[in-house]
Amino acid sequence: MSKIIEVSNLSKNFGSLKALDKVSFAIEQDGIYGLVGRNGAGKTTLLEILTSQTIASEGEVTILGQHPFENSYVMSNIAFIKEAQRYPDNILPKVKDVLGAAALIFENWDQGFADQLLADFRLDLKRKVRKLSKGQTAALGVVIGLASRAPVTIFDEPYSGMDPVARQLFYDRLLADYAENPRTIIFSTHLVDEAADLLEHIIVLESGRVILDAATEDLRGQAAVIEGPMAKVMGAIEKLEVLELQEVGSFGRAFVNQISQSQSSKFVSEGLNVQPISLQQLIISKTKQNSNLEMESAK
Amino acid sequence: MSTQVTEKPLATRLLRVIKMNLSNPWPTLITPWLILAVLLTTAFFFELWLTSIGATGVFFEPEQFLIIYLLVIANQVFLNQFPLALSYGVTRRDFYLGTVLSLTFVAFASTVGITLVSILRGANDLTDLLNAAGANFSALLASELLAVTLTALYFRFRNIGMVTFFVTTGTLMAGSPFVVTYLDLWDELERFAFSSSWEFARTVIGWSVIALMLLIGYGLIRRANPQLR
């Protein structure tokens, strides 16, 4: 596979605040990427730079081998659906007007698919955009993003306000359509476990830096939680990478990374409880570990 | 991979922006003329009454209403469509040029409408009609471009830009009479305003201001952030 997006030493400053700090990564053509991070980690800023909404302070972005800023070739290959996307309800008052505008601009627009998605999400073409609920507005963004079939489709928290049923519908439709029309899809999310089956690759941002950039498959089963008497837990984790350690009285719980099957079996035989942890927990632990390291280096 | 999109010619890209802006003709082309129809009907009966009591005069000029209406609608089009267009992968340059062309079309259509109203009201001198149409077109376009430039200023510099603009404009407007008085230029200005060269100068100044606003608007939007937070 070839790289469709390359980001190198990207920084963005807002006054004294470093929203992005020397971010580098590459995205392969045709894949579903998850951009994960806490609020204020820099996800939206990164996506805005990728889509030329914002200009970077330093560093470089190339998409399809070219700089995207004011590049009509690159931009015509991108669809960007933002969290709480606003629609110009005085100029394009109805759902059908917003979709009509999208159909005019997106080269690969699939009206049949858009109609099917509208029915799935129970969106009425004649309904006024300003009358849509938050979840329905998010669903409209999802319809536009998916039906655009843009070679690079970017969703920033696409399902803000959507109920669990609608979110599952989004995952199902995205996956089914992706299987038939592979493309590069990036979406930022907080709901890692929910979207885990969908994501082929995860990039985690924390305080404007990439702290994890790995294939989802490689991350699965990589980390575990070891529970038991504190003394035994401390002994077990001596030679492991500890992401997070919790102590409740004499009971200990350690989140560890890169644990092998033989190590796991050994700890179980010693009376400890060893369980694989979810992607979400791994990311939480990684983020906490990063925050602790930052605090220590600041001291 | 989904079929990669090849770059379309500039004309195609601009036409798409124009269609996007005018895909719903109600706010730009239909609603103002529905309002105008009511205002003109009222004006017609008022002017009939004026005539019946021996007075004459034109009670209402449609261009006065349209200059304000199109200023507001140009602001609404630019303010609301810019973020959406960029999300849809339109570049700032294409959006700007496409929107200016959309608004030029609206100004032209409105000028045709105003001219037809003038004919219905009895104007029949072709030269007068054409002169009036030229003046109306440039006034409507200038009004729309003022809105575009100010909206571009807002996207580029947000509230600081707006405050700076209005403070500067206010200072210039309040200060210019003092400068004219200080330099003792009132008599010369009066002579110029009533001279034959004024009509020509007004046209040149008008179109120069339009060209300047076009350039400033583009300069501002080139690096503007479309997010409305």
Side-chain angles (χ1 to χ4, degrees), chain A residues 22-39:
Chain A
K22 293 186 167 48
V23 167
S24 297
F25 62 87
I27 286 182
E28 305 283 345
Q29 186 173 302
D30 296 348
I32 304 179
Y33 282 71
L35 184 62
V36 184
R38 299 172 65 188
N39 295 329

Side-chain angles (χ1 to χ4, degrees), chain B residues 47-78:
Chain B
E47 282 160 20
L48 269 185
W49 174 73
L50 279 176
T51 313
S52 72
I53 61 167
T56 55
V58 176
F59 174 65
F60 174 74
E61 298 282 7
E63 59 270 24
Q64 294 164 352
F65 162 77
L66 281 174
I67 283 172
I68 303 299
Y69 184 91
L70 292 188
L71 179 103
V72 174
I73 211 69
N75 164 263
Q76 291 298 301
V77 168
F78 203 103

Side-chain angles (χ1 to χ4, degrees), chain B residues 63 66-67 107 111 133-145 207 210:
Chain B
E63 59 270 24
L66 281 174
I67 283 172
T111 304
N136 286 334
F137 177 69
S138 60
L140 293 173
L141 189 61
S143 168
E144 290 175 328
L145 288 182
W207 283 102
I210 287 173

Side-chain angles (χ1 to χ4, degrees), chain B:
Chain B
M1 173 174 179
S2 268
T3 316
Q4 220 176 83
V5 177
T6 52
E7 190 175 9
K8 291 285 170 287
L10 179 67
T12 309
R13 303 197 310 264
L14 297 188
L15 195 62
R16 285 177 178 173
V17 174
I18 294 169
K19 282 184 180 173
M20 182 181 166
N21 285 334
L22 303 179
S23 60
N24 171 27
W26 279 89
T28 47
L29 296 166
I30 300 174
T31 306
W33 285 94
L34 288 179
I35 300 170
L36 265 177
V38 174
L39 293 174
L40 285 166
T41 308
T42 311
F44 172 73
F45 286 111
F46 193 78
E47 282 160 20
L48 269 185
W49 174 73
L50 279 176
T51 313
S52 72
I53 61 167
T56 55
V58 176
F59 174 65
F60 174 74
E61 298 282 7
E63 59 270 24
Q64 294 164 352
F65 162 77
L66 281 174
I67 283 172
I68 303 299
Y69 184 91
L70 292 188
L71 179 103
V72 174
I73 211 69
N75 164 263
Q76 291 298 301
V77 168
F78 203 103
L79 188 72
N80 293 296
Q81 298 280 68
F82 181 52
L84 188 68
L86 261 67
S87 289
Y88 284 4
V90 177
T91 63
R92 290 165 175 79
R93 179 191 54 240
D94 291 352
F95 176 76
Y96 185 77
L97 292 175
T99 301
V100 166
L101 287 174
S102 313
L103 295 172
T104 306
F105 173 74
V106 172
F108 179 77
S110 303
T111 304
V112 170
I114 294 167
T115 309
L116 288 175
V117 169
S118 300
I119 293 169
L120 285 173
R121 289 170 126 187
N124 52 19
D125 185 291
L126 185 63
T127 311
D128 285 352
L129 280 170
L130 285 176
N131 282 339
N136 286 334
F137 177 69
S138 60
L140 293 173
L141 189 61
S143 168
E144 290 175 328
L145 288 182
L146 175 65
V148 163
T149 310
L150 286 179
T151 313
L153 178 68
Y154 174 74
F155 276 118
R156 182 71 182 89
F157 295 111
R158 307 286 153 162
N159 292 343
I160 291 173
M162 303 314 292
V163 170
T164 307
F165 171 79
F166 285 112
V167 168
T168 309
T169 309
T171 308
L172 285 174
M173 286 175 74
S176 52
F178 289 103
V179 175
V180 174
T181 307
Y182 180 75
L183 296 173
D184 199 17
L185 291 172
W186 286 115
D187 288 344
E188 275 186 53
L189 274 178
E190 192 180 348
R191 269 197 298 278
F192 181 62
F194 288 100
S195 70
S196 55
S197 52
W198 168 239
E199 281 298 317
F200 177 72
R202 196 173 64 171
T203 308
V204 171
I205 292 168
W207 283 102
S208 303
V209 169
I210 287 173
L212 192 66
M213 283 195 291
L214 260 175
L215 288 174
I216 292 173
Y218 181 60
L220 289 166
I221 211 68
R222 273 181 66 233
R223 294 174 72 82
N225 186 328
Q227 307 304 323
L228 287 171
R229 292 195 174 95

